[in-house]
């Protein structure tokens, strides 16, 4: 698996993000000084509904992954197309990632897993976040829209709570994949 693709899948497993959010991420959207990954309104599914960007916390492990992928190209995008290195990776290029990973696991590790998609990762992340944080924080972390009354009155970003849950989730992932490593 290309390093770019491996990092893409790892970040999906860490953040539970929609593939489009990650696919459209530009290098300027990663702000290490503020410790945030900024996803503009136009790049997140609910942006049109809420009029707000998504703000996700960075932790040392994700900063490392973002730095690695940023070093792979000279584009403004983190994940670039194989055909045009100045454009983001295409949706079609991502479709084969689960199949490729499944085939690799079977060939190299003799592990057989059921068919899955990148979007299925979101369910796994959300289920595990239930063990690590409050439901509303987990929903915010996945970029879900909170109920209207909550959106109207609660404007707190829960960034510290998200960061704490994200760190716990990465620690849990590292236990699960101990024989392998996050890049």
């Amino acid at each position: 698996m290309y390093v770019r693709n491996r990092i893409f899948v790892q970040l999906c497993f860490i953040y539970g993000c929609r593939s489009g959010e990650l696919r459209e991420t530009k290098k300027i959207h990663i702000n290490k000084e503020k410790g945030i990954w900024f996803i503009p309104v136009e790049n997140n599914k609910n942006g049109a509904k809420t009029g707000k960007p998504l703000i996700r916390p960075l932790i040392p492990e994700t900063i490392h992954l973002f730095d690695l992928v940023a070093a792979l190209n000279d584009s403004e995008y983190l994940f670039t197309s194989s055909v045009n290195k100045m454009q983001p990776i295409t949706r079609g290029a991502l479709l084969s990632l689960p199949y490729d990973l499944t085939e690799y696991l079977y060939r190299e590790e003799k592990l057989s897993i059921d068919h899955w998609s990148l979007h299925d990762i979101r369910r796994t992340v959300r289920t595990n976040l239930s063990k690590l944080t409050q439901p509303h924080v987990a929903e915010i972390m996945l970029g879900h829209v909170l109920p209207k009354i909550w959106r109207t009155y609660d404007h707190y970003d829960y960034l510290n709570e998200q960061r704490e849950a994200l760190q716990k989730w990465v620690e849990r992932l590292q236990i699960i994949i101990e024989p392998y490593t996050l890049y």
Side-chain angles (χ1 to χ4, degrees):
M1 181 177 263
Y2 292 121
V3 172
R4 172 200 72 183
N5 295 347
R6 183 175 175 175
I7 294 170
F8 193 95
V9 172
Q10 288 175 350
L11 287 167
C12 286
F13 267 104
I14 291 170
Y15 283 104
C17 57
R18 293 176 180 91
S19 61
E21 295 165 0
L22 193 51
R23 196 173 64 76
E24 295 285 335
T25 296
K26 295 180 179 178
K27 292 174 182 176
I28 61 169
H29 295 152
I30 305 302
N31 188 324
K32 291 189 272 187
E33 286 93 39
K34 292 183 178 179
I36 60 167
W37 170 20
F38 178 83
I39 302 163
V41 171
E42 62 274 11
N43 292 357
N44 77 75
K45 179 181 175 182
N46 294 314
K49 184 179 202 176
T50 65
K52 295 181 180 181
L54 295 178
I55 299 173
R56 295 205 167 107
L58 296 175
I59 57 174
E61 293 84 352
T62 60
I63 290 170
H64 177 68
L65 290 170
F66 282 123
D67 283 347
L68 281 173
V69 76
L72 295 176
N73 67 68
D74 294 327
S75 173
E76 65 180 319
Y77 293 97
L78 285 172
F79 296 94
T80 59
S81 166
S82 298
V83 178
N84 182 346
K85 299 284 186 195
M86 294 299 127
Q87 294 296 316
I89 190 172
T90 64
R91 287 182 187 175
L94 300 175
L95 292 176
S96 67
L97 292 182
Y99 175 80
D100 294 345
L101 189 54
T102 300
E103 288 296 306
Y104 170 83
L105 289 172
Y106 183 76
R107 184 178 63 249
E108 300 297 325
E109 304 294 332
K110 305 301 180 236
L111 291 173
S112 181
I113 58 176
D114 292 337
H115 172 77
W116 60 283
S117 70
L118 287 175
H119 197 76
D120 292 329
I121 296 170
R122 289 174 56 79
R123 279 188 279 278
T124 300
V125 174
R126 179 59 183 88
T127 298
N128 280 274
L129 288 175
S130 291
K131 301 172 190 171
L132 305 173
T133 192
Q134 297 297 313
H136 63 285
V137 175
E139 290 295 295
I140 291 168
M141 290 175 75
L142 264 64
H144 288 163
V145 175
L146 295 177
K148 180 146 177 53
I149 194 83
W150 211 322
R151 285 194 319 265
T152 301
Y153 290 104
D154 189 351
H155 296 278
Y156 180 56
D157 61 17
Y158 293 92
L159 202 54
N160 291 331
E161 292 81 357
Q162 289 183 63
R163 185 173 282 109
E164 182 181 326
L166 187 64
Q167 189 64 58
K168 288 178 184 176
W169 173 230
V170 167
E171 290 166 9
R172 171 85 176 111
L173 276 174
Q174 288 172 329
I175 291 168
I176 293 168
I177 63 165
E178 188 175 323
Y180 313 97
T181 57
L182 290 174
Y183 222 99

